[in-house]
Amino acid sequence: MKKPKLYERTRWRFALIIIALIVVATSILYTNTVVYQLKLDEEKRVKLWFDAQKAMFDVTTQEDEFCDFSLNLSIIESNSDIPIILTDEHYRIMDVMNYEDKDAIKDTAYFNKEIAYLKKHQKPLVIEDDVIKNYLFYRQSTLITSLEWFPYFQFALLGVLLMLSYFTFSFNRQAEQERVWVGMAKETAHQLGTPLTSLMGWIQNINMMYPDDEDLLMIAEEMNTDVELLKLVADRFSKIGAVPKLEPINVYDNLNKHLQYVQQRASRKITFDFPDPTKHAALMVNINPLLFDWVVENLLKNALDALEGKGQIEARVIDGEYFVHIDISDTGKGIPKRSFKSVFQPGYSTKKRGWGLGLSLCKRIVEKYHNGKIFVLKSTEGKGTTFRIQLPQIK
C-alpha cells in the first residue's frame, strides 16, 4: 500500500524541524563565540582598572605630591558597566561600582551575600603593599549577560512563532478541508438526484405498462430497493455541512437493526455476537440516525472485509458514568499500531479499490455532529481489531 501524501508531509515536517535546530544551534554557537571574546576584553578592562587602582596604592606619601593621577582616575571612572566591589583583607566593603541604586552602607546584607557568591565562583584580584591588602571582585557586565541569554530567548521566540505558524496552517487547512468536504458531499448528492429521479420514473412506467409480467415486476421491485438505497446515500451526503437534528435512540435497538441487516448479507462462516435488546434496559443517546447508521455500517463493512469470509464480529455496549461506549470487534487481520491514527485520515486504505474516505467520514460524523469520539481501542495483527465509539449519555 502506498501513502505518498502522508509520507511527503511527514518528511517535510522532519526537514523543517532539522532546519530550525540548525538555525538555533548556529545562533547559539555564534553568540557564545562573541560573548567569549567580549569576556576576554572585559577581563582586560578590569585588569587595567586594577592596575590603575594598584598604581595609586603603590605611590608613597612623598611621591604623591609629584605624581599625576589623572590618567589613573580617568581609567577608573571610565568603567560604567562592570559591577565591582573593593574590600579590605577582611572582606569589608570599601567601595562599590555599577550596582545600580545599591548603597554599600545601607545594603550591607545584600553585598555580604554578593561577596560570598563571588568568593565561591572566582578568585579576586589582590591589591597590596607592605601595609594594606585589598581584594577586587567583579561580575560580568549586563551586556554580556544579556548576550548569553539572547540565543535562548531567540530559540523560545522561534518556538512560539513555529507553534503559531503550525496552528494557523492547521486551522486554514482544516477550514479548507471543511469546504472541500461540504462541497464534494453537496455535489455528490446533487449529481445523484437526476439519475435517481429518472430511475424512479422508469420503475413506475414498468409497473404501469407491464402489470401482468411477474418477472419484470420482480426486477422492478429489486431496482426500487437499490434506488431507495441510493436515495439514502444521497440524503446522507446532503446532510454533510448542515447541523443535523439529534434525537434520543436506544443503543441496543440501533445495533440490533444493523445486525439484522448485515447478518443476511454475510457469509455463513461469519458469526455475530451482539447484545439482545430484550435483555438490557434501554440506554439512550442523542444521535442522528441517518448519519450515525453510516458510521456503524462502515465499521461493520470494514470488519467483514477484514474477516475475508470467515470469523466473528462482536458488538459490546459499556454504560459509563457520563458516556456510552460502543465497541465493535472482529477477528480479522488487524491493524499495525503505527496506523491507529492514520486509518482515520482521508486517503488511507488497505484495499486496491476505494477512496479511503469511510473511516474519515465516520470520525467527522461522530466528533463534529455527535460530540463523541471514535478510535482504535486495540488491535493485534493477525488476531483482530476493536473500534470504540464514545457518545455522551442521556441522564
Side-chain angles (χ1 to χ4, degrees), residues 73-230:
L73 290 172
S74 176
I75 293 172
I76 293 171
E77 291 172 357
S78 67
N79 174 29
S80 60
D81 58 345
I82 303 174
I84 288 177
I85 301 176
L86 186 64
T87 73
D88 62 15
E89 59 184 325
H90 301 293
Y91 301 103
R92 289 177 298 207
I93 298 173
M94 298 176 61
D95 192 15
V96 296
M97 291 184 67
N98 303 322
Y99 271 92
E100 298 179 349
D101 57 346
K102 299 293 182 183
D103 184 85
I105 298 175
K106 295 180 180 179
D107 301 301
T108 306
Y110 170 83
F111 282 106
N112 286 337
K113 290 182 180 180
E114 180 74 354
I115 291 170
Y117 173 83
L118 294 173
K119 283 169 61 178
K120 185 177 180 181
H121 291 86
Q122 68 173 225
K123 186 177 180 181
L125 299 175
V126 181
I127 305 173
E128 64 178 334
D129 57 20
D130 295 336
V131 180
I132 300 172
K133 183 177 183 181
N134 295 333
Y135 295 114
L136 180 68
F137 297 93
Y138 71 96
R139 275 183 178 270
Q140 64 187 25
S141 63
T142 305
L143 174 63
I144 292 181
T145 303
S146 300
L147 284 173
E148 283 183 331
W149 282 102
F150 175 74
Y152 303 102
F153 170 77
Q154 189 180 32
F155 177 73
L157 182 61
L158 180 62
V160 171
L161 290 175
L162 286 174
M163 287 180 62
L164 289 174
S165 300
Y166 174 77
F167 285 124
T168 302
F169 174 76
S170 297
F171 177 79
N172 291 334
R173 187 178 63 183
Q174 288 175 1
E176 183 180 357
Q177 287 179 348
E178 175 81 11
R179 291 191 292 270
V180 171
W181 274 114
V182 173
M184 183 181 68
K186 298 292 184 185
E187 182 63 20
T188 301
H190 175 72
Q191 292 294 335
L192 285 173
T194 302
L196 278 174
T197 303
S198 177
L199 285 171
M200 291 170 64
W202 283 110
I203 292 170
Q204 287 181 356
N205 285 337
I206 291 173
N207 288 329
M208 292 174 59
M209 296 173 63
Y210 305 97
D212 299 325
D213 191 331
E214 294 183 0
D215 291 336
L216 196 56
L217 291 176
M218 184 180 67
I219 292 173
E221 184 178 354
E222 291 298 322
M223 287 176 62
N224 188 65
T225 301
D226 289 336
V227 166
E228 290 298 322
L229 180 59
L230 285 172

Side-chain angles (χ1 to χ4, degrees), residues 52-68:
Q53 191 80 288
K54 188 172 184 299
M56 294 177 65
F57 271 94
D58 290 342
V59 174
T60 64
T61 306
Q62 290 77 14
E63 295 172 328
D64 194 4
E65 297 178 2
F66 305 99
C67 289
D68 182 7

Side-chain angles (χ1 to χ4, degrees), residues 19-21 25 27 32 78 187 240 253 264-265 335 348 384:
I19 292 171
L21 290 175
S27 175
N32 285 343
S78 67
E187 182 63 20
I240 299 295
D253 289 340
Q264 297 175 2
R265 291 160 177 77
I335 300 172
Y348 182 96

